[in-house]
Each structure stands twice: as structure tokens, then as C-alpha cells.
Amino acid sequence: MKNWNHVKVESAEKGAEQAYRIIKDELQHNRLNVLGLATGSTMIPVYKKITESDLDFSHVTTFNLDEYVGITAENPNSYAFFMKQHLFGKKKFKETNIPNGMAADLTAECAAYEQLLLKNPLDIQFLGVGENGHIAFNEPGTSADSVTHVTQLADSTLGVNSQYFGDDERIPETAITMGISSIMSAKKLILLAFGEKKRAALMKLVEGTVTTEWPITELLNHEDVIVITDLEI
Ligand code: GLP
């Protein structure tokens, strides 16, 4: 049985409007206190809608999905920098959390992040998807019961994401990511995917078989998933 709702839109811009509408509705019904955030170009129009609005997020705590290991928040490729640029620098939240990829003890950092998530259950988690089907940085092969951990980025991810790094800069090969189980604990998941490059991953969801080779298919085990896409699937 299909467990997810497909919202077909004409463009990423229209998709952002849909996502924004859901957030607004949840806020107005007092159902949004903890919000899971994602990075990537897909999310930029959503954050634009939010920052241009007068919605009040001052009671909302946020958790980001992931962060590269070994680059600081001042590095424009860090997810901390991205979030400040697109959202946190323009909208007030109660508290914002992003894994610290510069932590001296990464294992302890992951455990602490997971503890914080347990104390602050996610009402909504935004998700993008990688071309290889990864969600956050849970690469193909990641176990369904994974929690926040350090992950080795897949070669395909390094290939896609390295375009953002300068010629004289190396993309980190590891990252901290919320695990699949951490993500699945959110009450509601909103996945956004636009453009043909995301078709292969979305089609795995459509096929309806859970396989660790395509982490996106783990969403088939969640009971409240909204997929916003411009693709006919
Ligand atoms: C990165 C992030 C993912 C995100 C993906 C898609 O790999 N770790 O969380 O879903 O990028 O990025 P884009 O939206 O730029 O296609």
C-alpha cells in the first residue's frame, strides 16, 4: 500500500510554496515546535518563502540533518554557513542545532546530538534526496536502525557535491549525519525533489520495495510522508 502523498507541482518555486503552506498550517495549529532542516539547492526557495514571511518561529527549535567533517562554520561550503546565509541570519528561532564537524571527539558529538534529538522529538523533518538515493548523508548500504553517526561519503556524492568547492579546495570525504532511524522518528516527513536528476531515486519509492541500496526507500516504513516534486512519477 502506498503510504506517501504525492504533491505534483510545476516548478521548484511552486514546490517551495507548497512546503511553506504546510509549515504555516502546522504553526497555526500549534503543531510545530521542533523542525528538522535540510541543506542543498532544493531548500533555498523554501527558506526564501519563510524568511520573506511574517511567520513567527521564535518558539521553534531546529535540527539540521548533517554537516561535513573538518570544515568550519566560516567556510562557505559548510552547512552551518549555508543555514546562516539562507535562514538563521534572517529569521529568529528559539534554538538552532547543527552537528559540529569540527568537534575533537566526533563520536561524542554524534551521541550528544542524538540525545538532543531524543529530548526534542521532531514534529516535521524536511528532506532532499541525493541522486544516488541518499537522505541526509545516509549513503547506500546504511542500516535502517542507524542513528547520528560519522559517514564516509559515496564516490557519487563526492562527484556531485564537489562542484561547490573551489579548485584549490578538497571536499571533505566524511560527514556527520542523522541516521535513518533518527530521521524516521519525526512525526511528519516532507521530501522535496526537483528535476530529472532525481528521477531514478524517486522511482525507487514508486516501486515500493525497501532496500538499503536506495536509502530513500526507507521512507516506505513511515506513515506520514509528503513528496513534493515536479516529476511525473
Ligand atoms: C546533500 C545533502 C542532502 C541533500 C542533497 C541534495 O548531499 N547532504 O541532505 O538532500 O545534498 O542536494 P540538492 O538539493 O542540492 O540537490
Side-chain angles (χ1 to χ4, degrees), residues 71-78 81:
I71 59 175
T72 67
E74 284 73 46
N75 184 317
N77 283 304
S78 72
F81 190 98

Side-chain angles (χ1 to χ4, degrees), residues 39-42 65-66 79 128-129 134 136-137 161 164 198:
T39 49
S41 53
T42 306
L65 287 170
D66 46 15
Y79 289 162
V129 62
H134 73 212
F137 270 139
N161 289 12
Y164 301 109
K198 303 294 170 76

Side-chain angles (χ1 to χ4, degrees), residues 65-66 127-130 134-139 177-178 183:
L65 287 170
D66 46 15
L127 293 171
V129 62
H134 73 212
I135 49 171
F137 270 139
N138 292 286
E139 299 286 21
T177 183
M178 273 165 58
I183 292 168

Side-chain angles (χ1 to χ4, degrees), residues 3-154:
N3 65 325
W4 47 280
N5 288 309
H6 175 196
V7 179
K8 165 79 174 74
V9 290
E10 275 164 27
S11 62
E13 191 59 40
K14 295 273 180 218
E17 279 170 28
Q18 292 289 336
Y20 170 77
R21 225 171 281 167
I22 297 168
I23 293 295
K24 184 175 175 183
D25 191 57
E26 295 293 312
L27 271 177
Q28 284 172 346
H29 288 90
N30 296 321
R31 288 191 296 248
L32 182 53
N33 295 301
V34 186
L35 176 60
L37 299 171
T39 49
S41 53
T42 306
M43 293 304 299
I44 294 175
V46 180
Y47 296 150
K48 189 158 183 283
K49 290 289 298 176
I50 290 176
T51 55
E52 285 173 356
S53 77
D54 55 6
L55 291 186
D56 181 10
F57 286 85
S58 60
H59 64 289
V60 175
T61 296
T62 69
F63 285 89
N64 265 79
L65 287 170
D66 46 15
E67 177 61 285
Y68 289 110
V69 165
I71 59 175
T72 67
E74 284 73 46
N75 184 317
N77 283 304
S78 72
Y79 289 162
F81 190 98
F82 176 100
M83 291 309 301
K84 190 171 175 201
Q85 181 182 20
H86 294 290
L87 189 62
F88 300 154
K90 301 174 182 166
K91 196 53 123 176
K92 186 175 180 304
F93 290 86
K94 181 178 173 195
E95 201 180 295
T96 60
N97 298 281
I98 304 181
N100 177 9
M102 292 297 290
D105 183 343
L106 293 171
T107 308
E109 171 65 16
C110 292
Y113 203 75
E114 193 64 28
Q115 280 306 312
L116 270 180
L117 282 167
L118 285 174
K119 273 193 216 133
N120 297 274
L122 294 160
D123 294 308
I124 294 180
Q125 175 66 58
F126 275 121
L127 293 171
V129 62
E131 290 173 32
N132 66 354
H134 73 212
I135 49 171
F137 270 139
N138 292 286
E139 299 286 21
T142 307
S143 127
D145 53 21
S146 53
V147 293
T148 304
H149 62 286
V150 175
T151 181
Q152 193 72 36
L153 299 181

